[in-house]
Amino acid sequence: MSACREAHPARLRTSADAPPMVGAVLEGLPDPAWLVDGQTLTVSAVNRAALRLLGLKPERALGQPPVALCGSLEDEAFWQGAAQDPFARIRSDTVLTHSDGQPRWVSRAISPLHTPEGGHHWLVLLHDQTRRRRAEAERETLLAELRATLESTADGILVVDLAGRVRSFNRRFAKLWGLPGGLLHEPGDAGLWLSLQRVMRDGEQYRLRIEALLDAPLMRSSDMLCLADGRVLEQVSLPQMSRGEPIGRVFSFRDLSEKLAAHQRIEELGRSDVLTGTPNRRALADRIVQQMAAAAADGEPPPCFALLHLDLDRFKQINDTLGNSYGDRVLREVVERLRSAVGANDTLARLGGDEFALLIDGAQMFEAEAAARHVQQLLAQPFNFEALSFTVTASCGIALYPGDGGTPDELLSSAERAMHWVKESGRAGFRFHVPRKAVDLLSRMRLDHDMRQALAEGRFRLHYQPQVELGSDRVIGAEALIRWRDPRRGDISPAEFIPLAEESGFVVAIGDWVLREAVEQAASWLAHGMRMPVAVNVSALQFQQAHFVDTVASVLRDAALPPSMLELELTEGVLMSDAEEGLKRMQALAALGVTLSIDDFGTGYSSLGYLKRLPIQRLKIDRSFVKGLPGDASDCGIANAIVQMGRALGLQVIAEGVETEAQRDFLAQAGCHEFQGYLYAPALGPADFERRVRPRRPVVDAAVSGWLGLAGNG
């Protein structure tokens, strides 16, 4: 059977009714074909190409109606009419089904065929279009996906050929550029670039740029485009490649306007103070660099300018007593006042917190001093918020360019150091920077070392200044003051070593020594029949130690001294640095039975409302208000006010620094209770103090005040 098929292959594809010559012709055709008998309208012959296309064996094709092989509605209609019209013919595309169930797309032609013997047939000739149709479908799918991708991106996309003619673009591109209707420019249109040039700020420059890109098919570029309406677009252009060769160019466009505006806003915020709107430290540094560059450009000698560093005195107390909202109002008001102190070419900046800077253009020493005085005058005017009225002062350091620094950091550091020197000297003033030489730093290091050795080797000692009751001249207590005599240096003033101790933190150790030494001395006097209360001034750092109350209790217990024989003096600054915590600590000390007082009263920001809450027994009038008595009207007014305030609060009032009888008499007439100073006696060693005081009657339960052993002579 197999051999017969090989010898006569045509017989397997033709029926007995098919003309032999036609069957042979079918086998020679490269395209699929079959023959339909005109009488029976069945397939009478089929070639191998058709069997492969259909996936059929000959026996499943021969003798079948033609619609079994190609059964579209169009085919069914044709074969129904073919019986009446032997000359009917058709040519069209259709679909047939392979035996595997998958469709095949074909071009199909049906033509009548008449043989010389009078036979009538139809020849069905097909051309397989499946690969082409599938390729087209895949291409359409890819194009659809590409279009979807282009439309889904946030960027505007434009694709052009090597001549700059439009090949494709997405809707985002049309929207970015405001193209009329968005879709007026069809593929092949080279006039699109003219539309783009019209909306550019510089259309001619853009035209030249595009021409340069089109002339360089492999060039990659990124450009910032400024449009006439103020928008800024980023244009990125890449070559479009196919098989390693450039075939066009792809442009992507992104609107950077909002991003740039946001960056500009962030930059502005990064260079300005949020609360006051003034430039910040960073912006000030840039301005200093500009000033220095301008000075260098002007030649020799370089023009001078001044930098003023301002720090509001005791500003934290305003926040603590009045609240941060009032503090912010004060800062804004300070800025408004300082604005009137700067010229058109000057710069006012807030450095942070309560620190400000003034950059005065073209200022030398005289102009800088005038500016500093003007600032002090502006701030001296009272601040009035609702029913509240108070005064704010500032410490001001001044640095001059180029002498005090050649960089912004150096100049800022010089002005800041000068400001801190003002703080250490009593605040509310100004000072020019004075370069500190390396020898000065070495001297401070040696002083710090010697100070620590002095405590370890017992070289410190205490002197005591009598405190006297006005009217009776009775000594009611003693103020303990520290003294230091060095074997090589001789006597060293507390004003020289105490600031260094405060700066290094060693003041806590010194303060603890002073406390213990003074308590032991009072206990010794009491044991020998002289009841003499002593007072110790407490530094801010010492008072803030968590174990301070326990230390005081331990010292009193070890010396067996009644707590009422010890007075602790606290400055307003100590109390206001942390108001609530300070109040708790004072209440704990009062519970021990220790006498509490406020030193240097009138130099801080304490309010009456806050003073009423404190468990204190005494106020001390600062020596700065006593010095001008009785001739200075301002000092007279302040001293009278403090005395009346103390009496209203039920407090004892003592004045320090009394040196003349006129000062003593004024204070007595004002109602002051006690005084201390050179008029009665300077600070004395324990033995000299005892000789000076013993002839007088001991006084019961008085208190003394002192400078933690940190003050100078009274």
Side-chain angles (χ1 to χ4, degrees), residues 292-303:
M292 291 178 174
D298 286 343
E300 296 290 343

Side-chain angles (χ1 to χ4, degrees), residues 205-223:
Q205 182 182 5
Y206 186 57
R207 182 186 66 80
L208 295 175
R209 178 58 173 164
I210 294 300
E211 288 181 356
L213 290 174
L214 295 177
D215 288 341
L218 298 179
M219 182 185 295
R220 298 168 177 261
S221 72
S222 177
D223 299 284

Side-chain angles (χ1 to χ4, degrees), residues 454-667:
L455 182 61
E457 297 172 3
R459 294 198 183 103
F460 289 122
R461 63 192 188 282
L462 290 184
H463 281 192
Y464 300 88
Q465 185 173 44
Q467 294 184 320
V468 184
E469 184 179 56
L470 277 166
S472 68
D473 280 351
R474 292 185 305 168
V475 176
I476 58 171
E479 175 185 12
L481 303 171
I482 192 170
R483 296 293 182 264
W484 174 20
R485 173 169 291 177
D486 185 79
R488 293 181 298 102
R489 300 170 181 262
D491 288 331
I492 302 175
S493 169
E496 184 177 353
F497 68 84
I498 289 301
L500 182 60
E502 290 176 334
E503 182 180 318
S504 66
F506 191 61
V507 72
V508 175
I510 293 178
D512 288 346
W513 178 85
V514 170
L515 175 65
R516 187 171 297 277
E517 188 76 9
V519 167
E520 290 177 354
Q521 182 61 64
S524 175
W525 281 334
L526 186 62
H528 290 84
M530 188 173 75
R531 186 179 181 85
M532 185 60 59
V534 294
V536 176
N537 185 291
V538 180
S539 72
L541 192 58
Q542 185 182 14
F543 183 72
Q544 290 164 4
Q545 300 301 304
H547 54 76
F548 178 67
V549 176
D550 294 336
T551 299
V552 173
S554 175
V555 169
L556 290 171
R557 184 172 55 252
D558 292 347
L561 182 71
S564 61
M565 296 286 290
L566 173 65
E567 178 179 355
L568 298 178
E569 283 195 356
L570 307 168
T571 64
E572 291 179 86
V574 170
L575 302 178
M576 304 303 288
S577 61
D578 191 344
E580 292 304 318
E581 183 62 30
L583 177 60
K584 292 178 183 178
R585 200 156 290 172
M586 289 187 71
Q587 290 171 340
L589 291 168
L592 291 178
V594 173
T595 300
L596 299 172
S597 64
I598 295 182
D599 189 19
D600 300 337
F601 185 76
T603 62
Y605 287 96
S606 297
S607 66
L608 279 174
Y610 184 67
L611 283 176
K612 288 173 63 177
R613 299 171 60 194
L614 301 178
I616 58 176
Q617 289 81 43
R618 292 176 108 187
L619 294 180
K620 174 177 280 189
I621 302 176
D622 187 70
R623 68 181 66 251
S624 63
F625 303 130
V626 174
K627 184 177 181 180
L629 299 178
D632 189 296
S634 177
D635 286 350
C636 290
I638 293 173
N640 270 314
I642 295 175
V643 171
Q644 296 307 313
M645 182 184 299
R647 285 186 171 276
L649 294 173
L651 305 176
Q652 293 290 109
V653 181
I654 181 172
E656 66 177 353
V658 178
E659 299 179 356
T660 67
E661 293 183 359
Q663 292 171 344
R664 180 192 60 188
D665 294 343
F666 176 87
L667 291 167

Side-chain angles (χ1 to χ4, degrees), residues 75 442 492 699:
D75 286 277
L442 182 61
I492 302 175
V699 181

Side-chain angles (χ1 to χ4, degrees), residues 90-204:
I90 187 173
R91 183 184 294 274
S92 65
D93 293 336
T94 188
V95 178
L96 54 81
T97 303
H98 191 273
S99 61
D100 61 7
Q102 297 298 317
R104 297 291 189 271
W105 287 269
V106 295
S107 297
R108 184 252 299 110
I110 303 177
S111 305
L113 182 66
H114 300 275
T115 64
E117 296 82 6
H120 177 216
H121 297 80
W122 270 277
L123 177 64
V124 180
L125 188 63
L126 302 97
H127 181 68
D128 190 356
Q129 302 287 341
T130 302
R131 289 186 178 179
R132 182 181 63 81
R133 290 293 298 271
R134 285 179 177 172
E136 290 177 353
E138 290 177 359
R139 186 163 56 251
E140 288 296 326
T141 300
L142 290 174
L143 288 175
E145 291 176 354
L146 177 60
R147 283 192 292 270
T149 301
L150 292 179
E151 294 300 337
S152 65
T153 182
D155 294 346
I157 303 296
L158 170 66
V159 183
V160 300
D161 61 18
L162 291 176
R165 291 184 293 264
V166 176
R167 292 176 57 193
S168 180
F169 59 84
N170 62 0
R171 289 186 177 86
R172 178 59 178 164
F173 168 80
K175 185 176 181 181
L176 278 177
W177 287 94
L179 299 181
L183 300 172
L184 293 185
H185 294 280
E186 299 297 333
D189 182 9
L192 170 68
W193 299 111
L194 185 59
S195 297
L196 303 190
Q197 292 173 40
R198 288 171 179 165
V199 297
M200 290 290 299
R201 184 175 297 176
D202 190 340
E204 178 62 18

